[in-house]
Amino acid sequence: MPILAPIGRIFLAFLAVVGRVTIFAVKTLVHCVTPRFYFRLIFKQMCEIGYYSLPVVAMTTLFAGMVLALQSYSGFSRFSAESAVATVVVISMTRELGPVLAGLMVAGRVGAAIAAEIGTMRVTEQIDALVTLSTNPFKYLVVPRVLAGLITLPILVFIGDIIGVMGGYIVGVNKLSFNSGSYIQNTFQYLETLDVVSGLVKAAVFGFIITLMGCYQGYHSRGGAQGVGQATTNAVVSSSILILIANYVVTELFFVR
Amino acid sequence: MSDSPKISLTDLHKGFGTKKVLQGVNLDVAAGESVAIIGGSGTGKSVTLKCILGLLTPDSGSIKIDGVEMVGADRKTNEAMQAKSGMLFQGAALFDSLSVWENVAFGLIEGQGMPRKEAHDIAIKRLSDVGLGPEIAPLSPASLSGGMQKRVGLARAIATRPEILFFDEPTTGIDPIMGDVINDLIVKCTRELGACALTITHDMASARKIADRIAFLYKGTIIWDGPVADVETSDNPYLQQFISGNTEGPLDLDLKHL
Ligand SMILES: Nc1ncnc2c1ncn2[C@@H]1O[C@H](COP(=O)(O)OP(=O)(O)OP(=O)(O)O)[C@@H](O)[C@H]1O
Ligand SMILES: [Mg+2]
């Protein structure tokens, strides 16, 4: 069967990649919990990944919250359920839009940068140089980035949630003439801790995926500048897809029983 | 020759997929000796060096450093070996996220846990060993010329006072005069440390200057090995063709694959 052979080959290649990524992830986790730790580098990466992503995340979540208020208002007015707008905004923001939008934005910004930086270090033999200078590249390069992603993404998403809800409030009060006090009251009335917590857990998972894929693609890049470019693209594409898959899985774990 | 060789390669094989690169490399380097491996592009010189440094795992064969087997050795053994060796990479491989002095001091700070202040002073000394002033210490490596980067790379390689030095094509990509400066520095540093040195190069002038002995790598094996003085008078037709740079001769140039 000449059609089945290439399909089988692609499938086998796919399984091989999944295996390699899994081994890379396990190796990273082991190095995360065994000394030595480069605290300075973890802090530096937290600034790089978290602090400098704030403007992007703030802009996206602000406008997402604003448009969400508009859309749900115009939709809900068809069956006179306008009063649910505040609740819809806060629940969709904390559960879904905050983590997913922030995850995808950070994947584009940080995942690409990590893959490019580590990929350049690979093709210019800087990673080999680290090894000859008695430094483990996993501990020195991969672990600080992955830990920083794991820690800062939930913080970013928490801030993004607040800004998104504020966006909804701005539109709700100024454009849709809600009463300021009752909008705020509606926002918190039906909000549960689990809504926020599930979103933050998602954020941590996404932070792990983004930084891990960036490091993996960079670490295994070869073939000069072109190879680094390829690694950058692969990092963004693979982490974006994995984010959407993980988003479904985590949602099911939290809310379906 | 002294009792046991510092580096000893026996029947080393390494291939990538179906492509056999090393097919039985045998080479001994004695303590305090400087050996140059010469050979054409793509003959596996860098692969040999990477196997010795533990960056690649050979398919078969043995690599002994100070009599200790390195193939399949555990992490401790590998780290102990790396701690007593220094390497100058083909493209210098300086870390561009760090300043020049942090590069030179890297092995001291991260490898040995030396305080930054003390490491900084040593780095300045090593920089002056390779003829660079303290004013370049805070600069970024990207702002240096290729020749200067090579010298910073050399300062970094010697910073931890290693017993074994590796040089990957120290003179390629820089002008002949700077190449000569690098050659002199390599000879000086190796002597001062009393280290043994393994250089890979295709620059014959550089090999003659740096090395006591020359090994010629061709088609995955060392086909000629002897003191520098014997290179001219050797009757090996392959070696003669390589040093004269003639395209006519017994070497299978295989230009399609280079
Ligand atoms: N990681 C790798 N994967 C696949 N093939 C490799 C790898 N590293 C080296 N090779 C192949 O091994 C051969 C020898 O490469 P090597 O870099 O050792 O050559 P070299 O003798 O150092 O040449 P040059 O003088 O050009 O640096 C080349 O044909 C190269 O394609
Ligand atoms: Mg090479």
Side-chain angles (χ1 to χ4, degrees):
Chain A
M1 274 283 157
I3 320 163
L4 290 181
I7 295 176
R9 252 199 303 279
I10 291 172
F11 186 63
L12 286 179
F14 173 74
L15 287 185
V17 171
V18 170
R20 275 200 293 273
V21 172
T22 310
I23 292 171
F24 193 87
V26 170
K27 231 171 130 181
T28 303
L29 289 174
V30 170
H31 282 293
C32 276
V33 294
T34 48
R36 94 173 242 229
F37 304 107
Y38 293 93
F39 292 107
R40 247 164 50 109
L41 294 177
I42 297 174
F43 182 74
K44 189 175 158 220
Q45 290 301 325
M46 283 174 68
C47 293
E48 205 70 44
I49 296 171
Y51 185 68
Y52 294 116
S53 298
L54 259 180
V56 189
V57 171
M59 287 305 280
T60 18
T61 48
L62 176 72
F63 281 96
M66 286 166 67
V67 84
L68 193 60
L70 269 189
Q71 288 280 26
S72 52
Y73 182 83
S74 77
F76 288 4
S77 62
R78 292 177 194 166
F79 44 94
S80 340
E82 295 93 334
S83 61
V85 166
T87 314
V88 167
V89 168
V90 73
I91 291 184
S92 3
M93 242 14 254
T94 52
R95 279 193 183 195
E96 274 299 317
L97 289 179
V100 171
L101 285 178
L104 292 178
M105 294 312 285
V106 174
R109 210 192 78 85
V110 172
I114 291 178
E117 189 181 3
I118 296 188
T120 306
M121 292 187 73
R122 164 61 74 200
V123 301
T124 57
E125 297 184 308
Q126 290 178 51
I127 294 185
D128 291 340
L130 273 180
V131 176
T132 65
L133 293 165
S134 309
T135 303
N136 186 317
F138 262 83
K139 291 197 191 309
Y140 189 80
L141 295 174
V142 180
V143 168
R145 286 170 173 78
V146 171
L147 281 182
L150 212 55
I151 298 167
T152 52
L153 254 259
I155 302 175
L156 266 179
V157 166
F158 190 73
I159 297 171
D161 286 349
I162 296 172
I163 294 175
V165 170
M166 265 169 47
Y169 171 87
I170 293 169
V171 169
V173 170
N174 294 317
K175 193 103 193 152
L176 310 172
S177 49
F178 275 94
N179 172 282
S180 159
S182 64
Y183 188 96
I184 294 176
Q185 201 204 340
N186 282 347
T187 296
F188 291 106
Q189 194 170 11
Y190 298 107
L191 182 67
E192 289 173 15
T193 319
L194 195 62
D195 296 330
V196 180
V197 170
S198 70
L200 299 186
V201 170
K202 280 181 180 178
V205 173
F206 299 167
F208 181 75
I209 289 173
I210 294 164
T211 47
L212 186 83
M213 291 316 290
C215 291
Y216 172 83
Q217 297 290 352
Y219 203 83
H220 291 101
S221 62
R222 56 185 79 247
Q226 203 187 0
V228 176
Q230 187 68 50
T232 314
T233 314
N234 289 350
V236 176
V237 172
S238 59
S239 56
S240 303
I241 293 173
L242 284 174
I243 282 175
L244 295 175
I245 296 173
N247 182 42
Y248 179 82
V249 174
V250 177
T251 308
E252 189 166 306
L253 286 179
F254 265 99
F255 298 110
V256 180
R257 52 206 100 199
Chain B
M1 266 210 186
S2 70
D3 32 340
S4 95
K6 198 84 178 157
I7 307 171
S8 170
L9 311 180
T10 321
D11 200 26
L12 204 60
H13 284 78
K14 175 74 186 172
F16 298 99
T18 53
K19 184 173 179 179
K20 301 263 170 291
V21 179
L22 304 182
Q23 305 176 45
V25 173
N26 292 291
L27 184 70
D28 282 355
V29 184
E33 191 185 24
S34 176
V35 174
I37 300 178
I38 58 170
S41 283
T43 46
K45 303 185 299 292
S46 296
V47 170
T48 309
L49 210 51
K50 285 187 176 161
C51 285
I52 301 174
L53 283 161
L55 300 169
L56 287 174
T57 314
D59 299 335
S60 68
S62 143
I63 300 169
K64 287 205 172 90
I65 306 243
D66 281 332
V68 180
E69 179 61 54
M70 299 308 303
V71 178
D74 59 6
R75 220 181 64 209
K76 271 230 168 67
T77 317
N78 260 310
E79 279 169 6
M81 189 278 280
Q82 271 140 14
K84 63 183 170 195
S85 55
M87 162 92 181
L88 172 58
F89 285 86
Q90 192 162 349
L94 301 177
F95 306 124
D96 16 57
S97 59
L98 301 176
S99 67
V100 166
W101 82 262
E102 285 171 320
N103 264 283
V104 177
F106 194 92
L108 300 168
I109 297 173
E110 306 297 351
Q112 303 182 352
M114 184 184 281
R116 288 174 70 81
K117 181 80 196 57
E118 202 178 320
H120 174 265
D121 296 343
I122 294 181
I124 299 292
K125 265 192 223 118
R126 295 294 160 259
L127 282 172
S128 84
D129 285 348
V130 297
L132 296 171
E135 68 282 354
I136 70 148
L139 299 182
S140 147
S143 62
L144 304 180
S145 71
M148 276 166 121
Q149 289 186 1
K150 277 265 162 84
R151 283 192 278 171
V152 174
L154 179 61
R156 182 174 73 179
I158 60 168
T160 54
R161 316 264 84 187
E163 301 164 25
I164 309 170
L165 285 166
F166 299 100
F167 304 106
D168 190 351
E169 320 230 349
T171 54
T172 19
I174 47 183
D175 69 72
I177 296 171
M178 182 50 75
D180 221 42
V181 171
I182 302 266
N183 286 335
D184 286 338
L185 284 171
I186 286 177
V187 171
K188 178 183 136 221
C189 294
T190 318
R191 266 207 206 114
E192 274 173 13
L193 290 172
C196 87
L198 184 61
T199 309
I200 59 181
T201 184
H202 42 223
D203 174 356
M204 271 313 295
S206 165
R208 280 198 191 92
K209 192 145 190 180
I210 296 173
D212 309 320
R213 225 174 81 214
I214 284 183
F216 183 43
L217 183 65
Y218 176 65
K219 288 207 165 166
T221 52
I222 305 277
I223 59 166
W224 189 89
D225 178 359
V228 172
D230 294 356
V231 171
E232 303 303 330
T233 54
S234 113
D235 51 8
N236 186 306
Y238 296 97
L239 183 63
Q240 283 313 320
Q241 189 197 340
F242 185 81
I243 59 175
S244 63
N246 206 330
T247 49
E248 300 292 321
L251 289 177
D252 175 7
L253 291 175
D254 204 4
L255 291 169
K256 289 189 293 292
H257 296 115
L258 295 182

